Amino acid sequence: MSHDTLHTAGTPDSSEANLLPLIVEPEHLIPLLEHPDLVLVDVPLKAESHAQHIPGARLLDFKQLVGSNDDEIPGIPSPETLSAVISALGITRDSHVVAYDDEGGGWAGRLLWTLALLGHTRFSYLNGGLHAWQGDGLPLVDTVTQWQPSEYRAAYVDTSVMATREDILDRLAADAPEDKVVVWDARSVEEYRGEKGQNARLGHIPGAVHFEWTEAMDRERNLRIRDYAELITELGARGINPDQHIVTHCQSHHRSGLTWLVGRALGFSDIRAYPGSWKEWGNRDDTPIER
């Protein structure tokens, strides 16, 4: 698929259900910035020093998206906590949320994955995030956006986007090939090999395929998602194909926020994210590990 075709994939959707497709280009977002159903969310890496944003964006501290190993589902905040976070952003069930960040899609993807888990279907990723917006010479502001909080009641509605430790263990032990899981490890190669990390145990899930999250970014196009055909080919060469049961993870389901999003954009029929990620798997003594 050429870059021109990839850009075409970001044109506005004509359906009434969504204002925009999953992956949207800056030029196609501009006309809708003041649409009453649009909620633009900026999820920066360093919220405390984040001075400028796209006009109308609402700021979200990524720490509010990440749970602990002590949560009911490791790595995911409780529905009550998420209700408060989403409500504070003024998001309703009718909102079309467009997320972006300043690092190539990790935290933006994590927000969209969280919304998918909550059963929210109207969402998009601004391709390339802040880098692409600035690269296209579009305006930024430093004024605070005002909005009304909502009363969003969160619940884990669509657990098909999520995999737990138990799910992965069951899939690894499955007898039938079609029931097996392919684990997409989005961490650095040093983490994957067990040469780096701050967990009790280092290495990777047995049989996991390594494809680092940054490999999905096009650095010559302001961190947009790379050409779809190239990605499909490279992932297939590593052993990740669209018709498999795929679970992606990293250390805390931050970097895998982007790889989950990329899988969705590529049309993978069953791609899930493991919110516990290596923070859970690598700190237990009952999980198998390869190095």
Side-chain angles (χ1 to χ4, degrees):
M1 184 179 292
S2 69
H3 285 152
D4 288 341
T5 305
L6 177 56
H7 287 169
T8 301
T11 55
D13 194 321
S14 61
S15 70
E16 294 182 0
N18 291 298
L19 295 173
L20 293 160
L22 178 62
I23 309 299
V24 60
E25 292 295 326
E27 64 189 281
H28 300 132
L29 176 62
I30 293 171
L32 292 172
L33 283 179
E34 296 185 7
H35 193 288
D37 289 344
L38 184 79
V39 175
L40 182 62
V41 182
D42 184 342
V43 198
L45 190 59
K46 295 183 178 180
E48 64 278 4
S49 60
H50 193 66
Q52 292 191 311
H53 53 266
I54 297 172
R58 305 173 187 189
L59 192 66
L60 172 63
D61 187 337
F62 71 82
K63 299 182 187 69
Q64 295 181 291
L65 298 173
V66 182
S68 71
N69 284 351
D70 296 326
D71 288 313
E72 179 182 354
I73 301 175
I76 305 178
S78 69
E80 293 75 21
T81 298
L82 288 175
S83 293
V85 171
I86 305 301
S87 295
L89 290 168
I91 295 171
T92 72
R93 287 286 175 182
D94 294 326
S95 299
H96 189 113
V97 180
V98 177
Y100 75 93
D101 58 39
D102 54 2
E103 54 157 7
W107 286 122
R110 173 66 188 249
L111 171 59
L112 299 186
W113 176 85
T114 301
L115 290 173
L117 176 66
L118 302 180
H120 199 101
T121 59
R122 305 186 79 198
F123 56 75
S124 303
Y125 168 60
L126 177 62
N127 201 9
L130 193 64
H131 288 269
W133 188 269
Q134 290 179 297
D136 287 359
L138 298 171
L140 294 171
V141 298
D142 55 12
T143 54
V144 178
T145 302
Q146 302 295 325
W147 65 88
Q148 289 294 323
S150 63
E151 294 185 6
Y152 197 102
R153 295 187 179 182
Y156 305 146
V157 172
D158 186 5
T159 55
S160 70
V161 303
M162 176 185 68
T164 64
R165 181 186 77 257
E166 294 85 359
D167 294 332
I168 297 172
L169 288 170
D170 288 345
R171 290 280 192 183
L172 290 176
D175 294 327
E178 62 270 19
D179 293 332
K180 293 276 187 183
V181 67
V182 175
V183 176
W184 176 351
D185 192 325
R187 299 175 300 160
S188 69
V189 67
E190 292 83 7
E191 291 170 283
Y192 176 80
R193 292 173 178 167
E195 301 166 352
K196 176 183 176 181
Q198 299 180 354
N199 304 279
R201 302 161 70 210
L202 305 181
H204 58 265
I205 296 173
V209 177
H210 180 255
F211 192 91
E212 190 169 351
W213 71 308
T214 55
E215 294 185 73
M217 303 176 194
D218 189 339
R219 296 192 178 279
E220 295 184 357
R221 298 180 57 247
N222 298 308
L223 304 189
R224 286 173 168 86
I225 296 173
R226 284 177 51 203
D227 179 271
Y228 285 19
E230 289 181 3
L231 281 173
I232 285 283
T233 300
E234 289 189 23
L235 288 168
R238 305 274 182 100
I240 302 174
N241 295 293
D243 57 349
Q244 297 168 318
H245 300 293
I246 299 168
V247 172
T248 187
H249 80 90
C250 56
Q251 170 67 19
S252 61
H253 188 25
H254 156 217
R255 292 168 283 183
S256 54
L258 176 64
T259 50
W260 173 82
L261 182 64
V262 166
R264 287 281 292 250
L266 295 177
F268 285 21
S269 59
D270 182 9
I271 182 163
R272 306 175 184 227
Y274 171 29
S277 279
W278 201 257
K279 186 176 180 181
E280 180 191 25
W281 195 279
N283 285 311
R284 296 181 64 93
D285 57 12
D286 60 351
T287 46
I289 288 176
E290 287 182 347
R291 294 186 66 168

